[in-house]
Amino acid sequence: MKKIFVLTLFVSLFTLVTASAQEKKKASPPASVKETTSSGTTISIDYSQPSVKGRTIGVEIAPFGKVWRTGANEATAFEVSKAVKVQGKDLPAGKYGLYTIPGEKEWTIIFNKTWKQWGTNYTEADDALRVVVKPGKATTPTEQMTFKIEKSGKVNLLWGTTVVAFTVK
């Protein structure tokens, strides 16, 4: 009986330590934003918020010219309730993995058909849509990457002193 108790205690402690270690791997906190636009489309984004932590965007984090998971941990999920136009291009209603290719003068926004996966597991063949936008400079830095959705359908990615915006209509 004593052996069963000790074994149960050992297994419980091991489970707690393992769960704690897995939580520490997800250092970037989860976030979500949801808005119904004035045209009646619901846009939602579920993501994790990496912090700048004194690093340079485009160099030490989210390297320019390379596909980036646009967040941390699992792939960022972007969902629209109706068929829409993103920057004037058709995107069917549904849920997508949101990836980007950051650049100094332009960012490519990628809507990938595979959304439920670890963020670094990206397959270009699964892209539903790509659009190119020009980044802007924020007046106030944002430490943790943040998405904001306006009633007009404008989606803003704010991070460091970078603002990346695209329209959903």
Side-chain angles (χ1 to χ4, degrees):
M1 187 69 155
K2 197 173 186 180
K3 286 181 182 180
I4 292 174
F5 174 76
V6 171
L7 181 61
T8 303
L9 182 64
F10 177 76
V11 169
S12 297
L13 286 172
F14 178 77
T15 303
L16 271 172
V17 169
T18 303
S20 176
Q22 287 176 343
E23 276 302 307
K24 287 181 182 178
K25 285 182 181 178
K26 290 187 172 187
S28 298
S32 64
V33 62
K34 185 176 188 176
E35 181 67 67
T36 300
T37 66
S38 50
S39 64
T41 301
T42 301
I43 303 168
S44 61
I45 305 172
D46 293 313
Y47 61 104
S48 291
Q49 297 180 287
S51 295
V52 176
K53 296 180 184 175
R55 300 173 290 181
T56 303
I57 295 171
V59 179
E60 298 155 300
I61 48 175
F64 288 157
K66 296 185 178 181
V67 173
W68 176 54
R69 65 175 137 188
T70 317
N73 307 326
E74 290 85 11
T76 292
F78 179 93
E79 186 171 12
V80 286
S81 63
K82 298 178 180 179
V84 295
K85 289 193 180 287
V86 178
Q87 295 296 112
K89 295 183 177 180
D90 292 330
L91 182 69
K95 203 167 193 176
Y96 300 91
L98 184 66
Y99 293 85
T100 53
I101 301 174
E104 260 184 277
K105 296 181 181 187
E106 64 182 29
W107 281 49
T108 301
I109 312 294
I110 304 167
F111 300 88
N112 190 273
K113 294 173 193 168
T114 307
W115 61 271
K116 188 151 181 67
Q117 65 182 352
W118 190 252
T120 56
N121 296 339
Y122 168 78
T123 304
E124 185 175 349
D126 292 338
D127 287 355
L129 176 66
R130 284 181 173 216
V131 296
V132 177
V133 297
K134 303 233 179 271
K137 288 282 183 194
T139 53
T140 307
T142 303
E143 176 62 24
Q144 289 183 314
M145 188 193 82
T146 302
F147 281 99
K148 294 194 177 189
I149 306 169
E150 299 175 12
K151 278 276 194 199
S152 65
K154 183 177 180 185
V155 177
N156 293 292
L157 181 157
L158 308 158
W159 199 28
T161 58
T162 302
V163 178
V164 179
F166 57 93
T167 57
V168 178
K169 293 189 178 203

